[in-house]
Amino acid sequence: MPLDLSTVRVAESFMSTRHDMHCSSNREKQDRCVSDALVEDEDVSMRYCKACSVHDVKPNSAVKKVLSAHTATLALKHALIGDRGALALADCLRRLSSLTSLDLRSNSLRNKGTIAICNSLVFHPSLSSLDLRQNAFSIGAKHSLLRVAASNIGVLKQLLIMPNDINMAVQDAINRILQSDRYTTTLSNNSQFLLHKKL
């Protein structure tokens, strides 16, 4: 299936530099772990409330309830989070090191909120599923979506974004990136990803 050439180039760039990103971020990850350990006693829902005041948004009761439960799954479908609420939530996600699943379907997330969520999940140690379907982000969030997929290969098993105001080529590129721990990819002359099973 042909992919948008710019999407292919972005995906190729992420895949070819994934190792470099990982190596250069090891120090950042260590620093982040130390920082997270220092504030481990701070309640995440309290941190969320503080982030809401910074981003000038009222704390969402569904988000507070889920964060207070200290579960590995954050099911926030139809929680009316919105873009500014996503900025506040993103401030807390990095501290949830045991988070395995984040469902943010139908929350009116636009590019700014989607980018913040994705950036907070780069190199997340345990996230295996991220669901961003039925939101209002567009192709402007493409780079962040591809980056979160490329930085979490081997951990992240699914990143769902369709339907949204974004083309299917981005979802295809994400799926191929996530499968790259079992496959290698090349770009054909007609701008298609070719997947080759690793031996």
Side-chain angles (χ1 to χ4, degrees), residues 8-163:
V8 171
R9 287 184 181 142
V10 170
E12 271 199 327
S13 170
F14 282 121
M15 291 176 71
S16 67
T17 61
R18 184 175 66 89
H19 177 71
D20 295 337
M21 285 172 48
H22 181 69
C23 292
S24 68
S25 72
N26 277 343
R27 180 67 182 149
E28 293 171 17
K29 284 172 71 175
Q30 290 171 351
D31 291 345
R32 189 184 322 140
C33 289
V34 170
S35 171
D36 290 351
L38 293 174
V39 294
E40 194 173 286
D41 292 336
E42 183 182 20
D43 182 29
V44 180
S45 61
M46 183 182 291
R47 180 168 180 81
Y48 168 71
C49 290
K50 289 178 185 175
C52 284
S53 74
V54 168
H55 295 287
D56 194 31
V57 63
K58 181 180 174 186
N60 183 297
S61 59
V63 174
K64 284 177 23 181
K65 181 178 178 182
V66 170
L67 290 176
S68 297
H70 302 290
T71 63
T73 300
L74 295 184
L76 293 166
K77 179 181 176 184
H78 299 295
L80 304 173
I81 294 171
D83 232 20
R84 287 188 301 155
L87 297 175
L89 177 60
D91 287 351
C92 303
L93 291 177
R94 196 167 274 142
R95 299 212 179 317
L96 301 174
S97 59
S98 62
L99 179 66
T100 59
S101 177
L102 178 58
D103 183 352
L104 291 172
R105 280 178 286 171
S106 302
N107 273 292
S108 302
L109 302 183
R110 296 188 180 279
N111 287 347
K112 191 173 184 178
T114 302
I115 290 167
I117 293 290
C118 288
N119 289 344
S120 70
L121 296 171
V122 168
F123 295 115
H124 194 280
S126 61
L127 185 71
S128 62
S129 176
L130 176 58
D131 193 340
L132 295 169
R133 291 177 291 176
Q134 301 165 348
N135 281 294
F137 58 86
S138 67
I139 200 72
K142 160 177 86 169
H143 295 285
S144 293
L145 292 163
L146 292 168
R147 183 170 184 237
V148 78
S151 69
N152 291 305
I153 289 177
V155 180
L156 189 63
K157 302 301 179 201
Q158 66 177 3
L159 171 51
L160 304 171
I161 61 170
M162 298 298 287

